[in-house]
Amino acid sequence: MISEERTFVAIKPDGVKRGLIGKIIDRFETKGFKIVAMKLLQVTPELAAKHYEEHQGKPFYNRLVNYITSGPIVAMVVEGYRAIESVRHMVGCTDPVKADVGTIRADFAQVMEYNAIHASDSTESAAREIAIYFKPEEIYDNWQSMLEMITYDQERSGV
């Protein structure tokens, strides 16, 4: 049985400021993932503290907060088969120089500090991050993508 899972993705301020929103979203939709929640927002210092709570007290913590609050982000909930692992693979290594060719970070970023995108790294962090940025009623999972409609219609018709 194929099970769907959800992950949190954020296009970071540098990705938004560089006009990469459409190009990045296109990658997920082309892959067949379903975006079930999305919004443009300005991250407050309080929201950043929740997002980066595991890094509090580390030398780079203030840089993280300053960066994520430096401009708007696009927050998304992406759904699909093995979404967490697959999205992380599509995003690429944190350091764009080490990221595989064809990944989002390899294609759109040059330095680790401004790497265009964030994606949850585990089931637990996905659930935690989704809850930070979205209320349950902001997640729209009661619709079928065209891919789902075609697949389910073929299954029902015996094709």
Side-chain angles (χ1 to χ4, degrees):
M1 178 176 169
I2 295 175
S3 64
E4 302 288 311
E5 65 183 10
R6 291 181 178 162
T7 192
F8 176 76
V9 175
I11 302 173
K12 294 179 181 179
D14 62 305
V16 173
K17 291 174 183 178
R18 291 180 53 215
L20 299 174
I21 296 169
K23 290 179 180 181
I24 291 172
I25 290 171
D26 181 62
R27 299 242 184 147
F28 297 117
E29 290 184 322
T30 300
K31 179 77 172 176
F33 287 113
K34 186 164 121 177
I35 297 171
V36 296
M38 179 168 55
K39 60 181 156 181
L40 178 73
L41 71 136
Q42 179 66 48
V43 177
T44 63
E46 297 77 24
L47 200 57
K50 286 181 186 176
H51 186 113
Y52 292 124
E53 70 183 354
E54 73 272 12
H55 298 301
Q56 287 180 3
K58 295 179 181 173
F60 55 86
Y61 175 76
N62 287 336
R63 285 196 319 270
L64 284 175
V65 171
N66 289 338
Y67 167 54
I68 202 71
T69 60
S70 69
I73 69 163
V74 173
M76 296 180 277
V77 179
V78 177
E79 182 179 273
Y81 175 69
R82 295 175 65 183
I84 296 166
E85 180 182 3
S86 185
V87 166
R88 290 284 293 183
H89 185 68
M90 291 172 67
V91 165
C93 183
T94 304
D95 184 347
V97 173
K98 297 177 183 173
D100 291 337
V101 172
T103 63
I104 293 168
R105 287 180 175 148
D107 290 352
F108 298 129
Q110 292 182 17
V111 295
M112 189 166 20
E113 290 78 9
Y114 303 101
N115 61 15
I117 192 164
H118 165 81
S120 301
D121 62 2
S122 68
T123 304
E124 296 77 24
S125 66
R128 185 181 70 78
E129 292 169 353
I130 289 168
I132 290 170
Y133 289 93
F134 293 95
K135 298 173 189 166
E137 63 269 18
E138 293 177 311
I139 300 173
Y140 300 94
D141 58 359
N142 58 349
W143 62 277
Q144 279 188 320
S145 68
M146 285 303 296
L147 180 61
E148 290 171 315
M149 289 173 66
I150 292 166
T151 302
Y152 295 140
D153 284 348
Q154 286 180 352
E155 287 176 358
R156 280 195 291 268
S157 68
V159 176

